[in-house]
């Protein structure tokens, strides 16, 4: 009993960590630029497909495909930010939704055209598949890897935001963009870098998540609710909020599907309702 | 006599920051009461606490001795408490009359009617027109708010608040941003406010404060420093120190 | 004392363009007798888009799950018909009530959040219903849909014929009646207050408006109308499948409204016509192409074509009016 409980907890945390990685960019974009980017999942998908392509066509090893996914997704994010998104920071949320839904449709269609509608497998290396026995509990090696990568990235992100000058600039820009600009902080550049990083991390998450979440052309829409949930419940002004929300969501989803398979898929909806009623402004918010 | 607006020990803190502490005020009916203080003294927080936009951490607000703490802003408006905003918070794409109608229809309970065409709301239009005339805005009825000069927009702020038929009116820095050339109209408007309405105004502009206030409360770092008649406040050395720094 | 309003009509009367529009639609029996079924689909989509306009165009609620109420209306009417209750008007009423009730119950979650929360909640509601309908495939028929729907004659006299004449007349009259009601509402104090709440909710609160309660009211009405559209769909096509709950349905109605023009009453109908006809004639294409170009089109609209078709008409007519005035201004 305990073993399965630990196993579920472990799986749920890994899953939640993955959701966090993909959603953190959405949270940053919303908190920093007040930009609703429903196409965020598409950057995750881009990372996933590029990773798969690299491994299948160019024989890039798995551990090298991951940073590749990060870089390509970040570059794509940079490109879109400069060409398109920055014109929309002052436009209504409706316009942003229309833009990003349009982009999502185009991305899905392009992915279907290029890769076909079936799920892509990334192909895990030997040393990451299979189980690992810890204290009598069989833990999936890949999930452990996910957790490890997630923890490292989260710590890195937190350190950047809290200890570096760039992080301070980000925090200042979130608080009050005009004053920040007046203080000499190049808010536009800060946004660009933050956005690109968010997309890069999402791309990495997409590549990492291909095994766990499944990578197919409808990925951006399939998981859109999850990403929105993480940001709506976790709030858009901190890193910790979406992290806790994502972990909670991950554990609840996995636990629900394991213990009550009949209604397991609906657990997250119930959770969403409860959380919204209790905390309409999100789990962790600044007053 | 029952005070029109009263607070007892009103306070608000955000985490470690104490924005407002232990504010107790009592305004008699028809009073003209000013709240002054340096920037960051908590004046706008106080207004937000009075209107219900913020929930207090401690203390209560009473309207005509009815406890309204915990009521939503719109509920307090229905009980006779209206406000203006420090930065114009209007409907930029509507005309002045259209904006006033929004206020008048809700005040008269007509705004839930989904059947009557707005063009037939004659009574509401008359009521709106009367207020606009009071503020000398009746020439601008059909002007789109966005195109009005800033001073006139400030007047529309006051007109909208008056359209709610308040017993207590909170003016949040009515002169803020109004160029000197347009301030006459503003003075006229404040002077012309109905006598029965109790007015609490937060202001930086000492012209307005000393011209209209019967009593002044000085707020510093969220707490009341002193309170009294304008002449006394003008002579008070502690007030001078707060504004001018110690010598 | 003038109440002339720039760029908006206050009137309760019908200007000639509107009468012409409806007369044109009524003449459809003679103008497009071979395409009445398609025309019915346009009207149904238009009604759905009208319901969506109420919450998005007028009240400013961003929703990506309005198909939930459309689907509930469709299934209410559909299930009645499969269980031997084929009377159309009561099925319509059932659809409206089911959807309206669901709208009311879910509105509490939707009205209280900001834009992102509303997007999340509404998508979740749509997905939830889709999942539910999928699970209960024994009742809903799953992807294959309901079978055995039999409609009784409308008002006891008009049988649903294979040319779609009864269906067209039915859809036209229902759409017209609902339209009249919405039109009335939009020009009423309540309708005006919706726009106020969309543009400046904090100001409305400061004017004494119980903003959340009014939004709950309009959301419920909108859901009920979406339910009527869904019921019409079920009854005229005699088929419902769980696709009515799909995200595509919700996204499509958003596209229709934006294409036609949001917040101007007729935008939904116009956009529905454009979208449905385009889909019908282009559906022979590879669906991947459709999705790609739909996405591109959406981006183009948002970049260049604010206000959709009706917005463009408005700009053109304003430009023409100005051109006509300009020569007189020259010395």
């Amino acid at each position: 009993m305990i073993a399965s409980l630990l196993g579920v907890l472990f799986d749920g945390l890994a899953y939640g960590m993955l959701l966090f990685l993909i959603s953190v960019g959405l949270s940053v974009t919303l908190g920093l630029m007040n930009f609703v980017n429903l196409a965020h999942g598409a950057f995750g998908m881009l990372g996933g497909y590029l990773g798969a392509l690299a491994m299948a066509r160019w024989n890039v090893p798995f551990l090298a495909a991951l940073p590749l996914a990060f870089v390509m997704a970040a570059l794509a994010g940079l490109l879109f930010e400069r060409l398109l998104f920055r014109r929309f920071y002052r436009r209504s949320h409706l316009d942003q939704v229309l833009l990003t839904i349009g982009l999502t449709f185009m991305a899905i269609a392009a992915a279907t055209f290029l890769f076909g509608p079936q799920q892509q497998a990334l192909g895990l290396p030997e040393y990451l598949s299979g189980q690992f026995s810890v204290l009598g509990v069989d833990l999936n090696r890949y999930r452990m890897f996910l957790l490890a990568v997630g923890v490292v990235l989260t710590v890195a992100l937190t350190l950047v935001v809290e200890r570096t000058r760039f992080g301070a600039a980000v925090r200042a820009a979130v608080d009050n963009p005009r004053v920040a600009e007046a203080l000499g902080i190049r808010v536009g550049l800060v946004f660009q870098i933050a956005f690109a990083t968010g997309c890069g991390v999402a791309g990495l998450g997409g590549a990492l998540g291909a095994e766990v979440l499944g990578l197919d052309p409808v990925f951006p829409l399939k998981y859109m609710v999850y990403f929105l949930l993480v940001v709506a419940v976790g709030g858009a002004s901190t890193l910790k909020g979406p992290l806790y929300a994502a972990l909670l969501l991950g554990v609840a989803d996995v636990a629900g599907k394991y213990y009550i398979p009949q209604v397991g898929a609906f657990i997250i909806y119930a959770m969403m309702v409860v959380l919204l009623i209790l905390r309409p402004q999100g789990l962790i918010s600044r007053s | 006599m029952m005070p029109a607006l009263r607070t007892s020990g009103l306070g608000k803190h955000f985490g470690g920051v104490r924005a407002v502490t232990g504010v107790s005020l009592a305004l008699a009916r028809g009073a003209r009461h000013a709240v002054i203080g340096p920037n960051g003294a908590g004046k706008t927080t106080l207004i937000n606490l009075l209107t219900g936009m913020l929930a207090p951490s401690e203390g209560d607000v009473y309207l005509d001795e009815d406890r309204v703490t915990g009521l939503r802003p719109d509920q307090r408006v229905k009980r006779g408490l209206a406000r203006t905003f420090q930065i114009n918070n209007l409907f930029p794409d509507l005309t002045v009359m259209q904006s006033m109608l929004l206020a008048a229809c809700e005040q008269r309970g007509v705004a839930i009617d989904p059947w009557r065409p707005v063009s037939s709301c004659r009574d509401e239009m008359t009521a709106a027109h009367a207020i606009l005339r009071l503020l000398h805005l009746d020439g601008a009825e059909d002007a789109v708010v966005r195109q009005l000069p800033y001073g006139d927009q400030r007047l529309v702020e006051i007109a909208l608040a008056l359209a709610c038929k308040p017993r207590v009116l909170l003016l949040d820095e009515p002169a803020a941003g109004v160029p000197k050339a347009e301030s006459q109209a503003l003075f006229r408007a404040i002077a012309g406010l109905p006598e029965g309405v109790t007015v609490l105004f937060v202001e930086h502009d000492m012209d307005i404060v000393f011209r209209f206030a019967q009593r002044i409360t000085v707020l510093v770092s969220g707490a009341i420093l002193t309170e009294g008649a304008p002449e006394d406040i003008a002579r008070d050395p502690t007030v001078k120190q707060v504004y001018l720094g110690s010598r | 004392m003038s109440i002339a309003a720039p760029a908006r009509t206050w009137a309760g009367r019908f200007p000639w363009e509107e009468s012409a529009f409806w007369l044109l639609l009524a003449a459809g029996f003679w103008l497009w007798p071979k395409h009445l079924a398609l025309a019915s689909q346009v009207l149904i989509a238009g009604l759905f888009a009208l319901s969506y306009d109420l919450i998005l165009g007028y009240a400013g609620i961003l929703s990506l799950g309005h198909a939930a109420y459309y689907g509930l209306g469709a299934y209410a009417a559909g299930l009645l018909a499969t269980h031997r209750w084929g009377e159309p008007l009561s099925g319509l009423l059932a659809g409206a009530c089911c959807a309206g009730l669901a709208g009311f119950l879910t509105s509490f979650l939707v009205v209280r959040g900001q834009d992102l929360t509303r997007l999340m909640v509404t998508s979740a509601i749509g997905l939830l219903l889709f999942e539910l309908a999928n699970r209960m495939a024994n009742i809903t028929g799953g992807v294959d849909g309901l079978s055995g729907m039999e409609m009784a004659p409308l008002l006891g006299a008009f049988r649903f014929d294979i040319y779609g004449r009864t269906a067209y007349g039915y859809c036209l009259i229902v759409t017209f009646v609902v339209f009249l009601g919405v039109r009335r509402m939009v020009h009423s104090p309540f309708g005006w207050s919706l726009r106020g709440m969309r543009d400046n909710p904090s100001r409305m609160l400061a004017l004494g408006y119980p903003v959340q309660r009014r939004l709950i009211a309009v959301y419920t009405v909108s859901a009920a109308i979406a339910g009527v559209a869904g019921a019409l769909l079920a009854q005229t096509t005699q088929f419902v499948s769980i696709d009515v709950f799909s995200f595509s349905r919700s996204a499509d109605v958003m596209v229709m409204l934006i294409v036609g023009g949001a917040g101007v009453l007729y935008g939904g109908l116009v956009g529905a016509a454009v979208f449905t006809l385009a889909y019908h004639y282009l559906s022979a294409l590879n669906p991947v192409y459709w999705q790609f170009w739909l996405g591109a089109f959406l981006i183009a609209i948002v970049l260049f074509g604010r206000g959709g078709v009706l917005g463009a008409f408005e700009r053109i007519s304003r430009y023409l009016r100005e051109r006509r005035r300009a020569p007189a201004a020259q010395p």
Side-chain angles (χ1 to χ4, degrees):
Chain A
M1 229 295 280
I2 300 286
S4 69
L5 190 66
L6 279 178
V8 162
L9 191 66
F10 179 68
D11 266 0
L13 286 176
Y15 179 52
M17 192 54 94
L18 208 50
L19 285 180
F20 170 67
L21 287 179
I22 305 184
S23 313
V24 69
L26 178 60
S27 164
V28 163
T29 327
L30 188 67
L32 258 188
M33 303 91 125
N34 201 16
F35 182 71
V36 176
N37 181 16
L38 293 184
H40 192 70
F43 290 99
M45 183 173 76
L46 178 72
Y49 272 114
L50 277 174
L53 199 64
M55 286 181 68
R57 290 277 189 86
W58 309 316
N59 285 318
V60 174
F62 181 72
L63 284 184
L66 293 180
L68 185 71
F70 176 91
V71 168
M72 297 307 286
L75 280 177
L78 202 64
L79 195 73
F80 274 98
E81 199 275 343
R82 292 201 68 156
L83 289 181
L84 210 51
F85 292 161
R86 61 167 49 170
R87 302 181 205 205
F88 282 79
Y89 292 158
R90 289 185 205 278
R91 292 184 63 167
S92 67
H93 281 166
L94 173 63
D95 286 352
Q96 295 169 356
V97 166
L98 291 171
L99 175 77
T100 51
I101 290 264
L103 278 175
T104 307
F105 282 170
M106 290 178 76
I108 293 176
T112 315
F113 182 72
L114 292 170
F115 301 105
Q118 68 281 6
Q119 279 208 356
Q120 289 287 329
L122 227 57
L124 297 177
E126 267 296 315
Y127 51 90
L128 282 181
S129 25
Q131 318 279 58
F132 201 73
S133 199
V134 171
L135 303 175
V137 184
D138 271 337
L139 297 177
N140 181 288
R141 280 195 197 194
Y142 191 62
R143 303 280 192 288
M144 283 190 69
F145 176 66
L146 280 180
L147 265 178
V149 171
V151 166
V152 166
L153 271 173
T154 311
V155 168
L157 283 173
T158 315
L159 280 178
V160 165
V161 168
E162 287 179 15
R163 300 285 175 86
T164 65
R165 278 185 56 182
F166 178 72
V170 168
R171 276 179 288 135
V174 173
D175 238 358
N176 197 329
R178 281 209 288 187
V179 173
E181 190 79 50
L183 286 176
I185 296 175
R186 295 172 54 194
V187 171
L189 189 62
V190 168
F191 283 178
Q192 268 192 297
I193 298 179
F195 187 79
T197 313
C199 290
V201 175
L204 177 64
L208 278 173
E211 277 298 309
V212 177
L213 300 173
L215 180 67
D216 56 10
V218 286
F219 179 84
L221 283 183
K222 200 161 58 161
Y223 284 98
M224 189 177 73
V225 176
Y226 286 77
F227 307 148
L228 289 178
L229 233 169
V230 166
V231 177
V233 168
S237 48
T238 62
L239 276 183
K240 283 195 294 234
L243 177 66
Y244 295 158
L247 291 176
L248 187 62
L249 182 61
V251 172
D253 201 37
V254 171
K257 291 188 174 137
Y258 184 77
Y259 288 114
I260 1 171
Q262 279 304 333
V263 291
F266 298 105
I267 294 282
I268 54 153
Y269 299 125
M271 244 185 62
M272 170 193 84
V273 170
V274 168
L275 280 167
L276 275 180
I277 293 178
L278 291 180
R279 296 275 303 195
Q281 68 276 30
L283 271 185
I284 295 181
S285 62
R286 301 178 312 167
S287 281
Chain B
M1 249 244 310
M2 185 165 71
L5 175 69
R6 183 166 79 82
T7 72
S8 69
L10 201 59
K12 178 72 180 170
H13 35 93
F14 302 98
V17 179
R18 310 199 125 258
V20 170
T21 325
V23 168
S24 298
L25 291 170
L27 273 67
R29 173 156 311 287
R32 300 286 186 262
H33 195 118
V35 172
I36 66 176
N39 273 324
K43 305 193 292 292
T44 300
T45 310
L46 178 63
I47 298 237
N48 285 334
L49 286 170
L50 291 173
T51 54
M53 296 288 275
L54 277 180
S57 312
E58 66 219 5
D60 284 304
V61 180
Y62 299 87
L63 266 181
D64 285 324
E65 288 308 307
D66 277 325
R67 190 168 166 274
V68 297
T69 327
L71 288 187
R72 292 189 317 256
D74 55 283
Q75 290 169 312
R76 297 187 200 197
V77 172
K78 292 286 164 58
R79 295 196 186 205
L81 178 69
R83 75 168 292 174
T84 64
F85 289 83
Q86 180 181 352
I87 303 180
N88 281 338
N89 194 9
L90 303 165
F91 304 102
D93 300 314
L94 293 185
T95 66
V96 173
M97 179 47 97
Q98 289 169 345
S99 312
M100 290 296 289
L101 275 177
L102 274 178
C105 285
E106 177 62 24
Q107 197 281 320
R108 298 171 66 96
V110 159
I112 45 172
D113 187 339
W115 192 251
R116 239 170 114 178
V118 179
S119 48
S120 75
C121 294
R122 299 279 162 196
D123 293 337
E124 288 73 21
M125 284 186 221
T126 314
H129 194 69
I131 296 174
L132 290 177
R133 206 177 319 126
L134 182 71
L135 292 172
H136 300 272
L137 276 176
D138 42 331
E141 258 176 38
D142 295 323
V144 174
V145 166
R146 186 198 290 279
Q147 292 164 356
L148 286 177
Y150 198 81
D152 280 354
Q153 288 186 13
R154 290 310 274 145
L155 290 178
V156 174
E157 272 277 336
I158 300 179
L160 281 179
L162 284 177
C164 304
K165 293 236 182 346
R167 286 176 296 171
V168 178
L169 181 60
L170 305 176
L171 300 176
D172 194 352
E173 297 197 36
V178 176
K180 272 287 174 234
E182 297 173 40
S183 50
Q184 273 308 314
L186 187 66
F187 289 177
R188 222 176 13 179
I190 300 183
L193 290 174
E195 280 189 5
V197 174
T198 312
V199 180
L200 174 82
F201 53 105
V202 163
E203 243 323 326
H204 269 304
D205 184 330
M206 290 306 161
D207 255 350
I208 295 204
V209 173
F210 285 102
R211 202 189 272 231
F212 295 111
Q214 294 157 349
R215 269 186 91 68
I216 300 180
T217 296
V218 183
L219 204 65
V220 176
S221 301
I224 297 185
L225 178 72
T226 183
E227 187 178 309
E231 317 81 67
D232 302 326
I233 297 291
R235 285 196 299 253
D236 191 326
T238 44
V239 174
K240 285 212 195 116
Q241 183 179 7
V242 155
Y243 271 100
L244 301 170
S246 51
R247 293 285 155 116
Chain C
M1 188 169 69
S2 145
I3 54 153
R8 288 177 212 250
T9 84
W10 293 67
R13 286 184 219 314
F14 260 95
W16 69 269
E17 299 104 342
E18 292 189 61
S19 314
F21 178 78
W22 290 102
L23 285 173
L24 181 73
L25 287 181
F29 290 103
W30 297 276
L31 291 175
W32 42 78
K34 299 239 179 70
H35 303 282
L36 289 177
L38 181 64
S40 301
Q41 293 315 302
V42 169
L43 287 173
I44 291 172
L47 193 59
F48 184 28
L50 179 71
S51 80
Y52 191 61
D53 201 6
L54 269 181
I55 58 168
L56 182 70
Y58 288 95
I61 300 177
L62 279 179
S63 160
L64 276 176
H66 213 51
Y69 313 108
Y70 182 65
L72 277 173
Y75 268 103
L79 285 171
L80 275 180
T82 45
H83 289 87
R84 311 292 188 84
W85 187 270
E87 203 283 306
L89 290 177
S90 47
L92 202 66
L93 194 63
C97 289
C98 267
L101 183 65
F104 179 70
L105 292 174
T106 50
S107 65
F108 294 93
L109 287 177
V110 176
V111 302
R112 49 158 54 198
Q114 297 287 355
D115 285 338
L116 187 89
T117 314
R118 287 173 175 176
L119 285 170
M120 186 260 299
V121 171
T122 51
S123 336
I125 292 170
L127 279 178
L128 181 86
L129 278 174
F130 184 86
E131 257 315 299
L132 263 180
N134 202 9
R135 293 290 174 95
M136 309 198 312
N138 50 328
I139 303 180
T140 63
V143 189
D144 299 322
L146 287 180
S147 52
M149 276 183 67
E150 270 196 40
M151 297 307 304
L154 181 62
L155 298 177
F158 302 96
R159 279 228 315 254
F160 283 93
D161 60 304
I162 52 167
Y163 298 106
R165 281 192 299 244
T166 309
Y168 184 67
Y170 180 40
C171 288
L172 186 61
I173 294 180
V174 171
T175 305
F176 183 64
V177 168
V178 172
F179 200 86
L180 278 184
V182 172
R183 193 176 181 284
R184 216 48 218 233
M185 183 167 86
V186 153
H187 290 309
S188 73
F190 180 70
W192 269 87
S193 72
L194 289 179
R195 294 194 196 86
M197 290 189 264
R198 173 196 66 196
D199 291 336
N200 200 338
S202 67
R203 218 332 152 199
M204 295 299 274
L205 269 180
L207 291 177
Y209 278 89
V211 171
Q212 279 195 2
R213 271 201 265 162
R214 303 289 161 86
L215 290 180
I216 288 174
V218 75
Y219 196 80
T220 307
V221 169
S222 164
I225 297 178
V228 169
L232 280 179
L233 177 78
Q235 293 174 341
T236 54
T237 59
Q238 277 153 32
F239 177 74
V240 196
S241 82
I242 60 173
D243 282 336
V244 284
F245 290 118
S246 66
F247 179 79
S248 314
R249 224 39 87 103
S250 298
D252 286 349
V253 77
M254 182 185 259
V255 176
M256 283 185 221
L257 184 62
I258 297 300
V259 165
V264 286
L265 202 65
Y266 281 88
L269 280 172
V270 170
V274 172
F275 186 90
T276 313
L277 292 174
Y279 187 77
H280 180 78
Y281 288 108
L282 300 175
S283 67
L285 279 184
N286 191 331
V288 173
Y289 289 170
W290 168 260
Q291 190 173 41
F292 185 83
W293 290 110
L294 181 65
F297 186 57
L298 206 49
I299 297 177
I301 290 192
V302 125
L303 280 175
F304 309 120
R306 284 312 281 128
V309 169
L310 292 185
F313 278 176
E314 161 89 34
R315 282 201 295 272
I316 293 177
S317 70
R318 221 185 311 150
Y319 174 72
L320 290 174
R321 260 182 282 142
E322 245 129 76
R323 284 275 310 268
R324 247 183 287 141
R325 253 187 272 143
Q330 280 166 18

